[in-house]
């Protein structure tokens, strides 16, 4: 979890937006060449702002090094994705979505490496 002070309403909305965004990415046909490998993209978490008007979607791509290009392309396509979300969500307003790279797996790998080095070095 990215933020400790997340209430149930924000969590519920974040999960709804995560699920809908993942569905949009799975079936959308984007013209941008950086968005041709959407089947490789995982929306791991969506963190909502307290007023539920903004959503930060954390994405990862298994085995791919070009994730930063994909994140930039997703942010370019955010308006289109928001339009699709608006048709899917049953809420008063559709949040503005910002995409970011999910670094939690990178951080976990870094910590695991440090632990392994400490065990073998001690």
């Amino acid at each position: 979890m990215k933020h400790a002070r997340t209430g149930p309403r924000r969590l519920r909305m974040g999960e709804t937006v995560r699920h809908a965004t993942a569905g949009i990415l799975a079936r959308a046909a984007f013209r941008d060449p950086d968005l041709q490998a959407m089947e490789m993209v995982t929306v791991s978490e969506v963190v909502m702002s307290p007023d539920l008007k903004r959503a930060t979607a954390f994405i990862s791509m298994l085995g791919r090094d070009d994730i930063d290009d994909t994140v930039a392309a997703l942010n370019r396509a955010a308006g289109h994705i928001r339009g699709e979300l608006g048709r899917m969500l049953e809420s008063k307003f559709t949040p503005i979505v910002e995409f970011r790279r999910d670094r939690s797996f990178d951080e976990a790998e870094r910590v695991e490496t440090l632990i392994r080095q400490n065990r073998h070095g001690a």
Side-chain angles (χ1 to χ4, degrees):
M1 197 60 51
K2 307 286 184 233
H3 298 285
R5 293 185 185 189
T6 303
R9 187 168 171 232
R10 283 174 62 192
L11 288 172
R12 200 170 37 252
M13 183 64 162
E15 184 58 20
T16 300
V17 172
R18 185 195 69 75
H19 189 271
T21 303
I24 291 165
L25 297 181
R27 63 180 182 279
F30 295 100
R31 292 182 197 166
D32 190 324
D34 289 331
L35 295 178
Q36 298 307 308
M38 285 296 97
E39 69 277 357
M40 304 291 285
V41 172
T42 301
V43 182
S44 53
E45 183 178 10
V46 173
V47 176
M48 301 300 299
S49 65
D51 63 3
L52 303 178
K53 292 186 179 181
R54 293 191 164 273
T56 303
F58 293 89
I59 67 158
S60 59
M61 293 176 69
L62 195 58
R64 298 286 299 261
D65 293 329
D66 58 349
I67 188 166
D68 292 327
D69 294 337
T70 302
V71 169
L74 284 169
N75 282 311
R76 288 191 301 270
H80 171 74
I81 294 167
R82 183 178 186 216
E84 293 291 318
L85 273 175
R87 287 185 269 290
M88 297 174 75
L89 298 179
E90 295 176 6
S91 63
K92 247 183 208 179
F93 50 83
T94 305
I96 295 168
V97 181
E98 177 188 357
F99 293 90
R100 290 191 187 165
R101 179 180 186 163
D102 185 346
R103 297 189 182 277
S104 60
F105 296 111
D106 299 338
E107 185 63 18
E109 188 175 318
R110 186 185 73 79
V111 169
E112 187 176 317
T113 300
L114 288 172
I115 291 170
R116 218 176 304 120
Q117 288 173 347
N118 192 28
R119 281 189 194 145
H120 296 309

